[in-house]
Amino acid sequence: MPQPDPEPAPAADPGDPSTAELNGKAEPDETAELAGPSAESVKPDGPSAESAKPAEPELTPEQKARRTVRTFLWTCGWLTLLAAAFLLSDIAQSNKAFGVVGWLSVVVTYLCVIALVAGYFACALEKATLRTRLLGRFDVFQLSTVLVVLAVVFGLLIPTSHKAALALALPWALTYWMYGLDRAKPTGPTT
């Protein structure tokens, strides 16, 4: 004996094409075509028009590129902070005695990290760019390169594992790539 369907299908409006498709009927309903334009193509004019969400405008390729660069700069800042946290964890767990050179290295490394993070976040917030001149002819990227070299060298002088100090070079490598992408292209032939 066949079992009845435990949940009967809801009563479908024969004029509604969406329920006809859900019920397996793919035949168009002539009364729906004669009734006029569909509800999707009619724009509401009353108070309900204000509640409709406006579509986001399409971003230009330049806006997409700026958004991507900002995302990379935020990532560089957070990666630098993460590498500094790992370095701090290594310092806290170290069994070795730190001499004057070790503590001086810790201080210089963290001063460089703070400056690097500030630079990355300033560029991400569009307060500066990697090509913004800071000291004479030196721009943000060139000064960040000096800071990374100092942070890595002094981080290697700290008597702990050197992996976290070397990890500071990864965010710099991303900014090196972005700095190279922004380079002015030659317009004329070179001789």
Side-chain angles (χ1 to χ4, degrees):
M1 174 175 192
Q3 296 280 335
D5 191 14
E7 293 184 30
D13 182 18
D16 187 10
S18 63
T19 57
E21 290 175 4
L22 289 176
N23 292 333
K25 299 176 187 173
E27 300 174 20
D29 189 8
E30 291 177 350
T31 58
E33 291 175 4
L34 296 175
S38 68
E40 297 170 355
S41 64
V42 176
K43 295 182 180 177
D45 294 329
S48 64
E50 296 169 4
S51 65
K53 292 184 180 179
E56 291 185 20
E58 187 68 29
L59 296 175
T60 64
E62 182 180 312
Q63 290 171 330
K64 288 179 183 178
R66 277 198 313 251
R67 184 178 63 187
T68 303
V69 167
R70 277 194 315 266
T71 303
F72 272 122
L73 289 167
W74 280 112
T75 304
C76 289
W78 290 114
L79 284 174
T80 303
L81 282 176
L82 189 63
F86 286 138
L87 185 60
L88 185 63
S89 172
D90 283 347
I91 292 168
Q93 295 175 0
S94 177
N95 301 4
K96 300 176 183 174
F98 283 48
V100 174
V101 174
W103 286 114
L104 181 65
S105 297
V106 170
V107 170
V108 171
T109 300
Y110 277 96
L111 288 175
C112 291
V113 165
I114 290 169
L116 281 169
V117 170
Y120 292 145
F121 286 167
C123 290
L125 292 170
E126 296 182 345
K127 303 289 183 192
T129 65
L130 291 174
R131 295 198 180 270
T132 301
R133 302 279 180 206
L134 290 181
L135 295 173
R137 62 185 199 113
F138 298 107
D139 59 19
V140 172
F141 174 75
Q142 292 166 340
L143 292 175
S144 73
T145 302
V146 171
L147 289 172
V148 166
V149 168
L150 287 173
V152 169
V153 167
F154 279 98
L156 293 175
L157 292 176
I158 299 172
T160 61
S161 173
H162 302 304
K163 295 174 187 171
L166 292 173
L168 292 170
L170 174 65
W172 176 84
L174 288 172
T175 58
Y176 175 75
W177 175 67
M178 288 184 289
Y179 186 77
L181 288 177
D182 193 29
R183 187 177 7 191
K185 309 246 189 266
T187 56
T190 57
T191 56

